Amino acid sequence: MRNASILLSVSLQSQITPSMIAEMANIEEPSHGVPRGDIMEALFEIKAPASSTPVNGVVSSDVTVDPSRSLWFRQYVPTSAVAAADAVPVVVYYHGGGFVIWSPDRKPYDDLCRRLARELSAVVVSATYRMAPEYRCPTQYDDGIKTLKFIDGTKIDGFPPNADIGKCFLAGDSSGGNMSHHMAARGAKHEFQNLYLNFEVSTTPPFMTPEMANIEESSHGVPRQDIIEALFEVKAPPSSTPINGVVSSDVTIDPSRSLWFHLDVTISAVATANAMPVVVYYHGGGFVI
């Protein structure tokens, strides 16, 4: 059981990012598989309806969890799972979007979760949560636990009888990765009747650093989205005077390409007689910012 769980968690991790890239690149893919920013934005505006007719071997349906919270999820059931004699695992997936945009019915997430259900031979539950700034943290985590409790204690229409919630995995990307992390932490403290959380897989989850949270930090270390956006507009110049024990400088690589890097060196590294490792770090921003 444990070995099977480990194998599925590794498979889940290996599937999420390449599957997401493949689905996002379906409309237009320039060289190296990096979609243009405007194409990516347009793609996330497209909504995909649930389908009771199999699409690529998977049927899907929308399930209401709590209408007062507009809380729902989309479940994906591979036809192979319905026909299987053995129990199939359940993956609860949380979408990204910085806690402010997107939902399970956006086409990239619909394609991704359908693909995960098919290739993992698992029932995939793509969960919603209420968005900021209207709903501040920890509302999103409360919604996530509400959905897990619903799955644990409700006979869900369309859920195959061989779906084993005792083999439940959590996953998500970006803010959804933050969600899956916190759901694993909270879920470990809750006594479910039938549901058992085996593993959690987060893809590029954001966790706020103390420096980022210094401006304004809501509970659980998730600052307001407008504060985060404003913070990333602030540029920090290099400093030959140590700041927190670190000096920095900008080094030009190729001016024709506007190619350069920011070099940070700790004072302790300069003073030490031992060799020091070098870390090359690449920033995020969706290749556009």
Side-chain angles (χ1 to χ4, degrees), residues 172-185:
D173 68 284
S174 190
S175 56
N178 179 288
M179 280 287 295
S180 63
H181 165 82
H182 281 282
M183 291 308 94

Side-chain angles (χ1 to χ4, degrees), residues 58-199:
V58 177
V59 297
S60 58
S61 58
D62 293 338
V63 177
T64 299
V65 176
D66 186 343
S68 69
R69 301 186 187 187
S70 299
L71 203 58
W72 59 280
F73 62 76
R74 178 165 293 181
Q75 63 183 11
Y76 299 83
V77 180
T79 53
S80 60
V82 177
D86 298 327
V88 295
V90 175
V91 176
V92 179
Y93 192 89
Y94 300 95
H95 67 84
F99 293 107
V100 294
I101 54 176
W102 302 337
S103 56
D105 58 0
R106 300 291 173 164
K107 181 170 171 45
Y109 284 111
D110 183 75
D111 289 345
L112 170 65
C113 290
R114 189 179 304 279
R115 182 169 180 169
L116 291 176
R118 181 180 70 252
E119 298 194 8
L120 296 175
S121 295
V123 174
V124 175
V125 171
S126 184
T128 59
Y129 46 88
R130 286 173 291 178
M131 303 289 188
E134 291 81 6
Y135 298 97
R136 299 288 296 277
C137 184
T139 297
Q140 292 75 22
Y141 305 148
D142 295 339
D143 289 347
I145 285 294
K146 175 83 173 180
T147 297
L148 292 180
K149 290 180 179 178
F150 179 87
I151 295 171
D152 180 51
T154 308
K155 185 176 181 180
I156 302 169
D157 187 36
F159 222 62
N162 59 333
D164 186 358
I165 61 175
K167 299 177 181 176
C168 185
F169 297 79
L170 302 176
D173 68 284
S174 190
S175 56
N178 179 288
M179 280 287 295
S180 63
H181 165 82
H182 281 282
M183 291 308 94
R186 283 196 175 195
K189 300 176 183 178
H190 181 77
E191 292 187 9
F192 295 102
Q193 299 175 22
N194 304 295
L195 185 143
Y196 182 80
L197 301 177
N198 287 256
F199 280 89

Side-chain angles (χ1 to χ4, degrees), residues 34-52:
V34 182
R36 279 175 33 206
D38 56 342
I39 297 296
M40 291 172 65
E41 291 174 4
L43 182 57
F44 273 102
E45 290 302 313
I46 300 172
K47 288 190 175 183
S51 175
S52 57

Side-chain angles (χ1 to χ4, degrees), residues 4 27 32 35 91 101 106 129 131 156-157 179 210 243 246 259 261 265 269 280 283:
I27 291 184
H32 304 288
V91 176
I101 54 176
R106 300 291 173 164
Y129 46 88
M131 303 289 188
I156 302 169
D157 187 36
M179 280 287 295
I243 299 176
V246 177
L259 203 58
F261 62 80
V265 180
V280 180
H283 67 85

